[in-house]
Structures are given as C-alpha cells and as structure tokens.
Amino acid sequence: MYRYDEFDAEFVNDRVAQFSDQVRRRIAGELTEEQFKPLRLMNGVYLQLHAYMLRIAIPYGTLSSTQMRKLAHIARTYDKGYGHFTTRQNLQFNWPSLEDIPAILQELAEVEMHAIQTSGNCIRNTTADHLAGASADEHADPRVYAEIIRQWSSLHPEFSFLPRKFKVAVTGASTDRAAIRAHDIGLEIRRGENRQIGFRIFVGGGLGRTPMLGKEIRDFVEERDLLAYLEAILRVYNRWGRRDNKYKARIKILVHERGIESIREEVEAEFAEIRGGALDLPQEERQRIARYFAPPPFEEGPIDAARLTEAMAKDPAFAVWVERNTHAHKQPGYTSVTISLKPIGGVPGDAKADQMDSVADIADRFAFGEIRVSHEQNLILPHVKKNDLPEIYAALAEAKLATGNRGLVTDIIACPGLDYCALANARSIPIAQRLSERFADIERQREIGDVSIKISGCINACGHHHVGHIGILGVDRKGEEFYQITLGGAPGEDASIGEIVGKGFSADEVVDAVETLVDTYIRLRTDPKESFLTAYRRLGEAPFRDALYGEASRAA
Amino acid sequence: MAKKLVAEQMVLTANRLADGRVIYLGADGWTIDLDEARIVRGAEEAEGAEEAGRKAVADRILVEPYLIEVVTVGGGVEPARLREKIRCAGPTTGHSRSAA
C-alpha cells in the first residue's frame, strides 16, 4: 500500500492544525457561519438533518487493517458505533460533534487518512476498481495512477474553486467495475502497440439531475502525459464551465452544450502548450509509486480443491457465498472476496465498529492486512488463498458479515436518503430494507440472477439510480414520498442511462412494483442465463410497462 | 432564502452549533424537546421568533434557524412535514433509529 511521504504527512498535519484552529475560532465567535461553512466543507464536514456528518476519503478504495481499526475506534469513541460506506469509496460518520472533529482528524492523520476534498468544488477522492491489483482481467493497476492523480489534485491551487465538484475514476481491467463513464473524467488504462501503458479518456459523464455518459475525448494518452492531459481538461473546464447556475455547472453540461469536438480541440490546444513541462511524469517517479502497489508475497502451493468442494457440499450457504462473493484472481490459488454489507433487512453500506474490527482481524489473518471498499457499498478482501475460504467464511459469519448475495437482487445500493440527508426528498434505506426482505429467499435470488437495484432519495443521485438495472428515485409529491422507477441503466463498459418506465409509486406500492418487474423478467427471459439487463435490452420497456400499469396504459 | 412560511401554528427550529443537534425555540430559551417549543401564530409572532433565531446565531448557539409548520396531535404538536418529523424523532431505521 501507499505510505505517506514527508510532503503528504506535512500537508495533512498542517491541515489538521489549520482546521482545528478554524473550529476553535468558529466556536469562539471569531468566524461567522458564512465564513466557516466553506472551510468546514473543504474538510468534509457537512451539516445534515440531525447532526454534523464527516466524510472521510478512502483513496481509490484501499484501506489497511490498521486504518480500518482506526475507523472502528472513531465510530466507537466519537460517533454512535457505526459508519456508512458510500458509493464514492468514502466513509461517513453521521453523528460527530463539531467540537470533536479536530480530534477525529488528528486520529485519522495518525493512520494517513483525512477528509480533505471530500466536499466543495474541487477534485474529489479519485476512485478505482475495487479489485485493483487482484483481478484476473486486469492489465495494469489503476491505484498507481489514482495515487498520482491524488498527489496532483490535492490542494491544487488552480483547481480549488472549480465551477462545481469534479470526480475522476480509473479502471485498469477489461471489465469496468469503477463506473468510469459516470464520472467527470473516466480513465481506462490501455496497452499501446508496444505494450506501453496509456489511457483512453472519457469526459463529461455524471449522474444527478442531468445524467450523461462520458464521451471519449482521446483514445490514447501516453502514460507520461497523463497529468498534462488532465490539467488541460481541467483548465478548459475551469475557464468555460458555468458559474451562473449550479445545476448547469458540471463539465457534462459544458461538453453537452459545446459538443465533444469543440472541447477536444481546446483541450488539445492547451495540452500542446503544457505537454512535457512541469507535469511530465518522470519514469522513476512512476516506478517509485508503483512499488507501493507491488503484489503481496503470494505463496505458491497446491490448492486443496477437494477440501473446498467438500466444505461447499456440506454447507449450502457457504457454497452460495463462494459462488457469489469470490472473484477470479490473477494469482493461481488466490481469490478476492466480497464482504457484503447488505444483510437481509440491513442498511446498505453500514458497518458497526465491532464488524470493522472483525474485518481488520480477518484481513490480518488471511489477506495481508488489505481491505477494499467498493462503490457498491461492500468491502473486499483482495487477496486470499482459496484454501482459506472455509475459515474466512466462518470468521465472517461470526461477525454477521457472510451474506452471499454479491450482485444479486438484495445487493442494493442506497443513499442515506431522508433519514439523514439534508438534500433528500424521500427515504431510501427503508425501501432498500423492504426490498431486501421481500427477496430474502436465497434460492429465489439465485433464480433471478444478476440484477442491480439502486435507490436515490433525491435527484442528486448518490444512489446511482440512473445506472441501476432497476433504478428507484425518491421524490416529494405534495408532501408524500413517491418513487419513480427507471429501467435498463448500467454502470460498466456497456454503460447506459435507465429510462423512466412510467408514473411513480407510493412508498406502499413500490416494493410490489419492483417484484412485478422481476417476475416479468423471469416470465419473459429466454433462459436463466439471460440476465435482467440483457432481457430488458432485447424486450424494451413495453412488457415491463404493461405489467406495471396494464396494457391499456400504452394507448394513453 | 426560502420563501416565508405561512401556517397556522409554527415552531422555530435550528441545529445547535457545537454538535449539530436539532433544537427548537422554547418559551424560555432553546430546547431539544418539541413539546417544550414555543408555538408561533401569525406574522408578528413569527417575526419575533425569527429575531430570536438571528440573535442566537449571533450568540453562536445555533445555525440555520427557520420556521416549520406544526399540527396539533393528541395533547401536543408534531411537525407537519415528513422531513421535520424525521429531524424531530431521528432516523426511522438502522443503527441510530430514533436517535435524535
């Protein structure tokens, strides 16, 4: 894992001291709320419905067991004993008192963590494939570049007051698990003619009230030019992005209004100016950072396949868990494990302090102390021996973390919604819980197969509903919670934005409506191998709409 | 600024500066208990409550004061809107259910 160098440590410690003083001055009355608010936001401190909320960055979703234990300690000491993993590889604490936040930041700095740039109109936490460095289909580790981007974008003076927030995601595998086309900039690492590393770059993606998929601005940017090219994009955005209307301020609107060709032309002109200058990435530096992400000391040894098969035969729940929650690894004998934070009836993404400690212990025992956070609000042990799976499962089960539902209908993404969030119009979590309970039967879930439900409690779309196979958007209709359903969204390499299927549903009706959609899919699929998304793309929305509203609705 | 609330019965609410906790303007000072809140009726009382809010902001007791509508239920009052019901009673679900 990456370790802070003296510059990282210094700037994080400086920021802790700075913000501690700002909090002191705020409480002493030397700063007004108006003056203080942008400062607290720069440090990840929001004011939500019930309390302050602290959003902590987990850079490219990578956590050590030591860091996880620190998060557990903070949850226990300063919060209500749990934390919430978000769709942006962040962790949120929902109940810190403002007076405690300097101490929390100090504790975080001790384990090389912070909350800088988790809010505000700046470059946010760069996210990456949660299976980085592990998955069998990877051609280069995205964390190396995410770390380089982190260093470049942290406290970047030119980009601290952008027209609006800016999000970057990186993938280095053929399967896009980082939803790169739903980001302001999406980077896909590629290999060139001589196997040299480069980047295919998408720009202008994003969800929110105007969902757009990123458009390709360049099919290959050489490795050493990465930062120069990113800087060129940011400069064009900073110059032309709208500041008169916050709803039109994201780069997606600029790209949409001006057209990708025009933006490309300007970016290329800017790039030509700065290429090879101060932002040139020297090979030694790239290699130095890459060394932090070197593979752990894998053991070579025989796989005891019989032992695993036997354990699976003995315990059907374990067999389902292995089937759903493990992932092909590049190292023979190893696998990656998803730790589902979606127990039946639970709050998606929530982990209790004791569970965080358990995950840290399990990571130390079996996974080189390494943990990942996925944008799907689950945790991952990236490198574990297949031989250890029965023991890992047993340890996870003890911590109530062994739900074998990764990618199934109960693996629901949900934003905090109106239970916590000051922006929300409707609750998300209770809908997720009721859906999870409705589909609790694991055999039924397996029969349904891969399908994603994503729920947002407002148009800002933190729950990624636009890219859910089934998306649910909560709205306020005359004081009542109401839920609009979209179908056919997808976040990956075959990304698409879901389409609204028809009029919305009340909180009472929405779970039945989703079940009707799922049953319709089961009825119409060609065979169990045809996934929900594939079937939807083949069938279109008509049969689903008919099932929800009756055939008569089509004439209307 | 949000448009001015016009309702039969109102209460002034805000979040406490030090810990963000939901508070209400009471008969005498600030309270975390809606049952102890001062019920505000009519434009004059509303202005009085808002003035108390502005003063409390200046005194660093709270942030972002605003009026909400409340309705009489049983012997007491409760917020008219769901958002304020949740602010008053805490999250409706999860580990911090009813922690307000």
Side-chain angles (χ1 to χ4, degrees), chain A residues 97-138:
Chain A
S97 111
L98 181 61
E99 293 163 317
D100 283 340
I101 288 175
I104 297 174
L105 295 179
Q106 184 61 55
E107 298 234 23
L108 288 170
E110 287 166 16
V111 295
E112 306 187 347
M113 295 183 82
H114 60 71
I116 297 168
Q117 289 180 208
T118 58
S119 176
N121 295 336
C122 51
I123 301 172
R124 302 286 188 90
N125 183 30
T126 295
T127 52
D129 184 350
H130 47 263
L131 298 182
S135 76
D137 68 345
E138 179 176 278

Side-chain angles (χ1 to χ4, degrees), chain A residues 29 52 82 95 98 419-420 433, chain B residues 17-18 60 86 92-93 96 99:
Chain A
Y52 291 100
Y82 71 101
W95 302 92
L98 181 61
D419 280 302
Y420 295 94
Q433 291 174 308
Chain B
L17 171 64
R60 311 187 305 277
I86 292 172
T92 61
T93 187
S96 47

